[in-house]
Amino acid sequence: MDTTSRLLIFLEVVEQGSFAKAAEVRNIDRSVISKQISRLEDELGVRLLNRSTRSFSLTAAGAEMTKKAVEIRELLGETLRLAENFHQEPRGILKITSSSIIGRRYLQPVINDFQKRFPQVEVELRLDDRVVDIISEGFDLAFRIGKPKDSSLISRPLARNRLLILAAPEFIKHYGLPEKIEDLLNLPAASFANATIRVGEIKYIDGNGVAQEQKINSIFRSNDPETLLMKVLSGSAYSITPAFMINDEIKEGLLIPLLPDLILEDYHPMYAVYPHRDLPVRTRLFFDAVREYIGKEVPIWEQSIPDFDQLYQA
């Protein structure tokens, strides 16, 4: 292992915040990481880290070397991307991350077709509902609901993602069909909730064009959209559901839109996110394939919902 490789390992340790996490990302033993950092310090003749039994801190030299390591990583990445763009046939490893539902429903079919067309491309798909650091973890593409807050990343909107209020026929048979939004207040709802988001209301536009909120009576919460959908299908709760969650449940009569004349605010669009503007050929072609599959004008999930262009909008 040369000095450049050790600098990149050192950068991994700094960005991950521990030797153990860096070892996990690289799938190597922690002792290997520690040994390579020690060798790097010997080669450079300076101490980079002040270590204790459970943590470390950067020395002044370590802070400067971190900046240089970032520059080296970016230069190496640009060099590889430049070389790859001269290949006539896409090849190499394509690392993708997304939430579980996006990966299973909308990326896997594209990957299957993509690898038939370009057999020299290996694909690594990481399904993770947390927002990963695509730069430090080496991903080429991320697919997310909502625009990323990191301004250093390149993000492109793929498709809109509207909302519906849905219930099963059993729910309507038991509770009756609501006629106005206030009727929902005392009806049992299923809602999304995780460590940072807790949905407790319906956001809509009233007849005067003013944004309003209606609280909901949430009896069931989950951070998994598919689990919420299963709860609604059981007939025991209604839910405010992003359109990308729906397959043929409405078409088959398993779910029924409630208050379809209500004007709902759009949910967050789906974005493709990547670390550099100069995409390798394989990454650019895969992005184009996903965009084609999802649909440029009308998203694929809206195409399965009858008369969706007449629901929940002015």
Side-chain angles (χ1 to χ4, degrees), residues 56-192:
F56 67 81
S57 61
L58 285 171
T59 64
E64 290 302 314
M65 289 301 172
T66 299
K67 297 176 185 177
K68 292 299 179 184
V70 170
E71 293 176 5
I72 289 171
R73 182 175 64 188
E74 291 177 351
L75 180 59
L76 285 172
E78 290 172 5
T79 303
L80 290 173
R81 289 192 297 275
L82 181 62
E84 288 168 357
N85 285 337
F86 282 98
H87 294 156
Q88 292 184 346
E89 187 77 8
R91 64 187 69 195
I93 300 175
L94 178 60
K95 290 189 65 177
I96 306 165
T97 179
S98 81
S99 67
S100 299
I101 188 169
I102 292 175
R104 286 195 295 266
R105 289 194 179 184
Y106 304 114
L107 298 185
Q108 190 63 58
V110 180
I111 290 170
N112 295 341
D113 180 65
F114 190 79
Q115 290 192 290
K116 289 178 183 177
R117 293 165 56 202
F118 307 114
Q120 296 188 70
V121 175
E122 300 176 31
V123 176
E124 180 179 330
L125 176 62
R126 178 88 58 83
L127 300 183
D128 199 329
D129 292 320
R130 70 182 178 90
V131 177
V132 303
D133 186 332
I134 66 174
I135 294 178
S136 66
E137 298 188 37
F139 286 102
D140 300 294
L141 268 174
F143 292 89
R144 295 174 178 168
I145 300 299
K147 189 172 183 178
K149 296 178 181 178
D150 189 345
S151 60
S152 66
L153 299 174
I154 311 301
S155 59
R156 293 182 63 181
L158 271 174
R160 68 189 181 209
N161 187 19
R162 291 167 52 203
L163 290 170
L164 307 93
I165 306 173
L166 299 175
E170 287 184 26
F171 180 92
I172 296 172
K173 182 178 179 180
H174 182 78
Y175 292 100
L177 191 65
E179 297 180 356
K180 56 186 183 300
I181 192 167
E182 290 79 11
D183 295 341
L184 297 178
L185 179 60
N186 296 317
L187 297 181
S191 61
F192 182 85

